Amino acid sequence: MHLDAKIPSGPLPEKWDRHRFDLKLITPANKRKYDILVVGAGLAGASASASLAEQGYNVKTLCLQDSPRRGHSIAAQGGINAAKNYQNDGDSVFRLFYDTIKGGDFRSREANVYRLAQISNSIIDQCVAQGVPFAREYGGGLANRSFGGAQVSRTFYARGQTGQQLLLGAYGALMRQVKLGKVTLLPRREMLDLVVEEGEARGIITRNLISGELECHGAHAVVIATGGYGNAYFLSTNAMASNVTATFRAYKRGAAFANPCFVQIHPTCIPAHGNSQSKLTLMSESLRNDGRVWVPEKPGDRRAPADIPEAERDYYLEDKYPSFGNLVPRDVASRNAKEQCDAGKGVGATGLAVYLDFSDAIKRDGLQTIEMKYGNLFQMYEKITDQNPTDRPMMISPAVHYTMGGLWVDYNLMSTIPGLFVLGEANFSDHGANRLGASALMQGLADGYFILPATIGSYLAGLTTKTININQSTFLATREEVENRISRLLATRGRRTIDDFHRQLGLLLWKDCGMTRNEKGLREALARIPAIREEFWHNVIVPGSGQALNQSLERAGRVADFLEFAEVMVIDALSRTESCGCHFREESRGADNEARRDDNNFCHVAAWEFSGPSTHPTLHKEALSFENVELSQRSYT
Amino acid sequence: MSRTISLTLRIWRQENGTSQGAFETYRTGPISTEMSFLEMLDVVGERLTLEGKEPVAFDHDCREGICGMCGAVVNGQAHGHQQGTTLCQLHMRHFKDGDTLVIEPFRSRAFPLIKDLVVDRSAFDSLIAEGGYVSVNTGGAIEANTLAIPRKIADLALDAAECIGCGACVAACPNGAAMLFVGAKVSHLALLPQGQPERSRRVLAMVRKMDELGFGSCGNRRECEAACPKRISISNVARLNREFLKASLLADEE
């Protein structure tokens, strides 16, 4: 396998322009002769489907949910970044680029991130034109707020439901193309395998979740936009059905998986309540604009927060990081919370939470102003915890949130399998080792609205327009493999439930491949995962049949893939002995206890190639070169 | 504070859209009041699985009250008795030890049943496809701040745009009307300058489609507003009626 990122030559600001000029085009009359499959209908999938259909391609869009309006992008609360500099506070394309590269701890490609910053402004224009009701100032102009890892206000938002409003915009654009007959929409479908014909992606196998039927879909190109794999940890802020299956199946068919160990742990989530917890809920990072994070200064102090006088509180983020204060990036905030809890200073029933306190902000700005900004988040918190955060500080704790790793893609967003494109959280491209807040929506929409529609034509232009025959042997053979796998799951009839195995895997990953990692723990995990997997295939219970709606069977398939994928994740974490961004190797830290990168040995993307069952995957390195920014140790003090 | 309660559940079980359904009774055993309603159903599902039975099928995904995928009728109320709350955000602390809960799917002519508590709400997608958007292609946008929108208007538009498309309004309506759903989308776009070019065409097409799909008509009973987990105001239905009337009387032939 050879990794060619296809980064265009020339100065950074001109690369994308030059590249678009160099790419081959397809005339409008010929575009209708090409079929494209889009798997997933979150921000990336919906925006790509709509934009490709607008250009004239024949698009078929498939999603797990009953409607393409439900992808988990919908749950993004805080906002979307853009380099508009509406606040006149010194922002620019270069600053957004720089903040994102630095936030990612110098483990992403300069050219990709610069392009993302360039496109950011067009995204805001596009969304406003669609009628996305962003927050506004009294003068009628767009409002902004600040987010972690930046010293400018560049985040556009719609109360605490920016993701919802952006997704409904993309969904509207998609439904318009459905009405025009340019997109065929197939909801309640799950991609269970990729069909590769002579080394190129030519289709997928899906399960119709209502009838259970296994369906073959052929196309000239396949686009995967199925999100991240945070649910490997069982508890995460992801939706219940979020999974690794589509990307992992593609990996097993030859697509390299890049940086799987880069998993973002978000500092402000509502703490877990007990063993029956099914998922975790995020509280937007925007709360850290006005909330102050603190713990009692004395370990084991069980007094109610109101009884702890100011002098006995430890505002550890403000003390340690005076210039960024409570708005340090997510990885830094999470690790510091862990450090406090490990020292016995955590609060709440489990001692695994810290306070996020709004009382000073309420004193300063008044209750009404603070409620106007965060009202819906406060209500959400109260609904779940039965406590009002304006009376008593919120309790928050870190939780798995976003995965920077994903299928390796080149500058055109094409994976190592020609014809297979990967967008949004499913790819690895732009966030390095840590994603900044309000950047996921930006990347998903940049990929879907602007990048893929410009690059996919160059691949398709080299193909014949002949329709892909789904009755050929590769399709039938792949479908048979999927069928056998399903039969095996249904035939196991063991004694443990699917969730039981999933929870076991999640706890193991959280302990050994979570906020901090070390060689001993990772080696232990690597030894234990195959044992759990082995037991799963002999002892899982999957009730019901394959020929009907069967939610247990759906979950069993996803957990089976997590059990295989987890091993690749741990192998990656083990091989990267440096600390960078979210990946904190206890063996690699500086005098200040902060993460210490090792640029001499690890300034690369680690792309893993499947090398056969029960064989160690093969590592391929894509070297990262920095010509426009200086590789510095990240500091937020 | 956390405590435990035990409940009796009477849940609608139905193999598929054509088979005969019936209520079945389950006892939950001790349930923590910190759990969400869906976590309680998870616990029951795990137990049924261990007993060799099929767990109850129900739609759900984000479990944060925003994706709109979950929903069932609990003791006669869509999403349960807690106002402004999706089923996934309804917590067990709002029930008492010994309560009996009757759990049914969202029933409506326009939402055919698929299995147990799962229904087909694709009629909502068909409604949006008729015009629940601004027809602007990618790349054709003007600079975002060229368009000044008064803050109050943007807020009102967002109040309407918050609809999560869960279908509770339809399930709660004695007529199975989709007026609140359509009213929310029509209002969102009619309030904003971006929605003006297609304002008349949109409302006429969406209302026509609503009738075609078998949704009922509005009887002003306001059950939709009471059931809406996002508290979408009934004033959006009034605006829908005004928009429809205006468009019917004044719209140019298209």
Side-chain angles (χ1 to χ4, degrees):
Chain A
M1 181 180 284
H2 171 64
L3 300 177
D4 176 5
K6 300 203 177 72
I7 310 261
S9 60
L12 198 53
E14 291 168 28
K15 282 182 193 288
W16 178 230
D17 231 16
R18 283 191 187 192
H19 189 62
R20 279 187 295 171
F21 181 74
D22 291 339
L23 289 171
K24 278 179 272 180
L25 295 176
I26 299 177
T27 59
N30 278 340
K31 283 192 176 121
R32 72 174 72 99
K33 298 175 185 160
Y34 291 100
D35 301 323
I36 302 172
L37 287 168
V38 180
V39 188
L43 279 180
S47 59
S49 301
S51 306
L52 293 170
E54 287 162 10
Q55 289 191 18
Y57 294 111
N58 283 319
V59 178
K60 197 190 266 186
T61 303
L62 307 100
C63 67
L64 266 185
Q65 298 87 349
D66 67 330
S67 161
R69 63 179 293 153
R70 313 218 195 269
H72 199 52
S73 312
I74 208 160
Q77 297 166 356
I80 176 165
N81 286 331
K84 288 281 195 186
N85 192 30
Y86 285 162
Q87 304 307 319
N88 196 26
D89 56 0
D91 202 6
S92 61
V93 166
F94 195 88
R95 188 177 294 280
L96 174 53
F97 153 74
Y98 180 77
D99 286 348
T100 309
I101 281 269
K102 178 188 169 195
D105 215 357
F106 305 95
R107 289 294 173 261
S108 44
R109 288 184 197 136
E110 275 192 341
N112 281 57
V113 178
Y114 195 87
R115 172 176 66 183
L116 179 65
Q118 283 175 311
I119 290 173
S120 67
N121 291 340
S122 308
I123 297 172
I124 301 302
D125 297 344
Q126 183 62 31
C127 296
V128 167
Q130 289 171 345
V132 170
F134 282 118
R136 301 226 165 220
E137 304 291 356
Y138 282 111
L142 289 153
N144 292 119
R145 61 184 168 203
S146 7
F147 246 65
Q151 287 169 310
V152 294
S153 286
R154 62 159 73 99
T155 304
F156 294 78
Y157 63 100
R159 288 186 198 140
Q161 51 242 58
T162 318
Q164 180 201 24
Q165 294 307 314
L166 296 177
L167 182 62
L168 293 182
Y171 161 71
L174 166 63
M175 293 315 292
R176 174 171 160 243
Q177 295 304 314
V178 171
K179 172 75 183 169
L180 294 170
K182 289 306 295 176
V183 174
T184 306
L185 183 65
L186 297 175
R188 296 204 195 258
R189 300 296 200 289
E190 180 159 23
M191 170 179 160
L192 293 180
D193 217 332
L194 179 74
V195 180
V196 180
E197 174 83 24
E198 290 173 5
E200 310 212 4
R202 285 294 170 262
I204 60 172
I205 308 294
T206 59
R207 181 166 181 271
N208 177 325
L209 300 181
I210 301 301
S211 68
E213 190 191 340
L214 294 179
E215 306 159 327
C216 299
H217 307 273
H220 299 95
V222 177
V223 179
I224 291 185
T226 52
Y229 48 85
N231 270 350
Y233 289 80
F234 185 68
L235 286 184
S236 82
T237 64
N238 286 189
M240 299 300 285
S242 300
N243 66 78
V244 76
T245 292
T247 48
F248 188 69
R249 298 278 120 204
Y251 160 80
K252 290 189 81 172
R253 296 283 171 199
F257 211 110
N259 300 334
C261 80
F262 289 171
V263 174
Q264 177 164 80
I265 300 191
H266 198 293
T268 54
C269 299
I270 299 177
H273 60 68
N275 288 337
S276 50
Q277 183 93 28
S278 61
K279 72 151 272 159
L280 296 166
T281 302
L282 177 79
M283 288 280 98
S284 168
E285 175 163 308
S286 61
L287 292 167
R288 284 197 274 142
N289 271 305
D290 286 296
R292 298 180 68 194
V293 175
W294 65 275
V295 289
E297 202 166 56
K298 276 199 300 284
D301 188 342
R302 307 308 286 172
R303 285 178 292 175
D307 299 336
I308 302 180
E310 197 62 25
E312 293 173 42
R313 298 176 177 192
D314 183 357
Y315 294 90
Y316 56 91
L317 288 179
E318 295 173 16
D319 290 347
K320 266 176 90 174
Y321 309 98
S323 57
F324 281 73
N326 292 297
L327 280 176
V328 290
R330 293 171 176 177
D331 55 333
V332 178
S334 290
R335 266 199 302 278
N336 275 280
K338 181 179 190 298
E339 205 174 285
Q340 297 298 329
C341 295
D342 288 350
K345 290 154 77 180
V347 298
T350 51
L352 295 174
V354 299
Y355 289 124
L356 183 63
D357 196 337
F358 294 91
S359 52
D360 286 341
I362 292 170
K363 258 181 247 155
R364 186 186 66 225
D365 299 337
L367 182 63
Q368 206 191 345
T369 305
I370 295 300
E371 282 200 320
M372 207 138 75
K373 278 193 193 166
Y374 309 114
N376 58 335
L377 296 169
F378 288 175
Q379 281 166 19
M380 194 164 160
Y381 181 84
E382 189 168 359
K383 238 171 223 166
I384 295 174
T385 63
D386 208 21
Q387 286 178 0
N388 179 352
T390 61
D391 295 344
R392 188 188 165 98
M394 267 185 186
M395 281 191 285
I396 51 162
S397 74
V400 171
H401 179 54
Y402 184 91
T403 54
M404 281 72 66
L407 290 179
W408 184 91
V409 288
D410 63 16
Y411 191 70
N412 295 323
L413 303 182
M414 191 159 85
S415 71
T416 54
I417 303 177
L420 176 67
F421 293 81
V422 191
L423 314 188
E425 192 180 351
N427 74 27
F428 87 106
S429 68
D430 297 350
H431 306 297
N434 173 57
R435 178 175 66 74
L436 288 187
S439 286
L441 303 183
M442 172 171 71
Q443 185 227 332
L445 290 180
D447 287 1
Y449 280 136
F450 296 105
I451 301 173
L452 183 76
T455 60
I456 199 169
S458 192
Y459 167 75
L460 293 171
L463 303 180
T464 71
T465 54
K466 214 172 136 229
T467 308
I468 305 301
N469 173 17
I470 57 166
N471 294 315
Q472 59 187 321
S473 57
T474 34
F475 276 89
L476 302 178
T478 311
R479 186 172 66 185
E480 199 180 324
E481 281 182 49
V482 173
E483 211 169 329
N484 291 341
R485 203 175 143 81
I486 289 175
S487 309
R488 233 184 110 193
L489 283 169
L490 287 167
T492 304
R493 302 197 178 279
R495 303 160 74 97
R496 283 180 66 191
T497 63
I498 302 150
D499 275 7
D500 197 16
F501 283 103
H502 194 179
R503 199 177 284 114
Q504 186 185 7
L505 173 70
L507 284 172
L508 179 69
L509 289 176
W510 180 249
K511 181 168 84 55
D512 290 330
C513 196
M515 258 182 290
T516 68
R517 294 119 186 232
N518 60 52
E519 187 177 345
K520 184 171 164 281
L522 290 166
R523 287 206 184 283
E524 265 171 37
L526 208 50
R528 285 183 58 197
I529 293 166
I532 303 174
R533 190 169 61 228
E534 182 72 9
E535 195 198 335
F536 174 87
W537 282 101
H538 288 102
N539 201 20
V540 71
I541 319 172
V542 186
S545 92
Q547 271 77 52
L549 174 65
N550 184 343
Q551 294 171 325
S552 303
L553 177 63
E554 294 168 26
R555 271 185 301 134
R558 293 169 200 152
V559 173
D561 285 334
F562 280 134
L563 282 165
E564 276 185 70
F565 169 73
E567 214 172 315
V568 188
M569 198 160 98
V570 173
I571 287 171
D572 185 42
L574 195 57
S575 87
R576 193 176 279 274
T577 56
E578 67 162 351
S579 291
C580 61
C582 68
H583 174 64
F584 189 83
R585 281 291 297 260
E586 288 166 12
E587 300 91 338
S588 178
R589 49 180 134 190
D592 52 0
N593 229 5
E594 298 287 333
R596 197 183 59 212
R597 286 200 323 271
D598 174 0
D599 293 328
N600 291 327
N601 294 302
F602 290 98
C603 199
H604 63 246
V605 175
W608 298 91
E609 181 188 8
F610 180 66
S611 313
S614 58
T615 310
H616 198 281
T618 312
L619 175 62
H620 302 273
K621 294 176 186 173
E622 179 201 333
L624 293 168
S625 63
F626 294 89
E627 290 157 11
N628 299 276
V629 298
E630 201 187 323
L631 270 171
S632 55
Q633 280 298 336
R634 216 167 44 140
S635 164
Y636 291 94
T637 49
Chain B
M1 278 316 278
S2 170
R3 48 196 175 87
T4 59
I5 54 174
S6 296
L7 304 166
T8 303
L9 309 179
R10 288 176 45 74
I11 306 182
W12 186 259
R13 302 297 309 255
Q14 187 172 334
E15 194 54 42
N16 55 50
T18 52
S19 64
Q20 191 76 33
F23 282 105
E24 288 200 20
T25 305
Y26 305 97
R27 286 180 214 291
T28 62
I31 291 287
S32 158
T33 51
E34 299 292 305
M35 278 186 210
S36 69
F37 195 90
L38 300 187
E39 284 168 348
M40 181 274 292
L41 287 183
D42 290 342
V43 170
V44 174
E46 287 283 279
R47 214 191 51 222
L48 289 174
T49 302
L50 287 169
E51 289 168 5
K53 297 175 191 149
E54 256 200 272
V56 181
F58 59 95
D59 267 330
H60 63 104
D61 203 16
C62 79
R63 297 203 177 190
E64 297 183 18
I66 192 75
C67 77
M69 187 113 174
C70 73
V73 173
V74 180
N75 287 349
Q77 286 178 286
H79 290 301
H81 65 287
Q82 193 79 0
Q83 297 260 300
T85 307
T86 55
L87 196 60
C88 64
Q89 292 293 288
L90 174 62
H91 281 70
M92 298 314 291
R93 68 178 74 94
H94 301 295
F95 296 97
K96 289 194 303 291
D97 191 35
D99 277 355
T100 295
L101 310 185
V102 181
I103 307 169
E104 303 164 82
F106 282 175
R107 294 184 201 270
S108 174
R109 183 165 49 164
F111 293 166
L113 191 135
I114 294 171
K115 183 176 182 173
D116 296 343
L117 304 177
V118 178
V119 296
D120 177 358
R121 290 166 292 191
S122 54
F124 271 7
D125 292 325
S126 306
L127 281 173
I128 295 294
E130 285 305 300
Y133 41 77
V134 173
S135 298
V136 54
N137 281 1
T138 306
I142 54 168
E143 205 287 326
N145 247 355
T146 325
L147 206 59
I149 299 176
R151 186 168 170 165
K152 199 178 157 199
I153 296 294
D155 280 344
L156 272 176
L158 181 51
D159 287 344
E162 281 182 347
C163 167
I164 58 172
C166 64
C169 49
V170 176
C173 178
N175 298 345
M179 292 288 279
L180 194 63
F181 175 77
V182 173
K185 190 42 72 186
V186 163
S187 294
H188 159 211
L189 295 171
L191 283 161
L192 295 173
Q194 299 94 313
Q196 299 313 308
E198 298 168 283
R199 187 169 172 176
S200 300
R201 194 176 66 147
R202 175 180 306 115
V203 68
L204 294 175
M206 288 182 82
V207 169
R208 195 187 317 119
K209 192 73 182 176
M210 202 164 69
D211 295 340
E212 199 182 298
L213 289 165
F215 289 105
S217 53
C218 178
N220 286 315
R221 301 276 285 270
R222 305 185 70 161
E223 295 287 347
C224 54
E225 187 186 45
C228 177
K230 293 292 145 183
R231 301 179 193 268
I232 305 284
S233 162
I234 190 97
S235 64
N236 291 297
V237 173
R239 190 180 289 103
L240 170 62
N241 286 328
R242 287 201 301 276
E243 291 290 320
F244 180 73
L245 196 63
K246 207 154 58 181
S248 307
L249 293 173
L250 303 175
D252 294 334
E253 289 294 317
E254 287 195 50

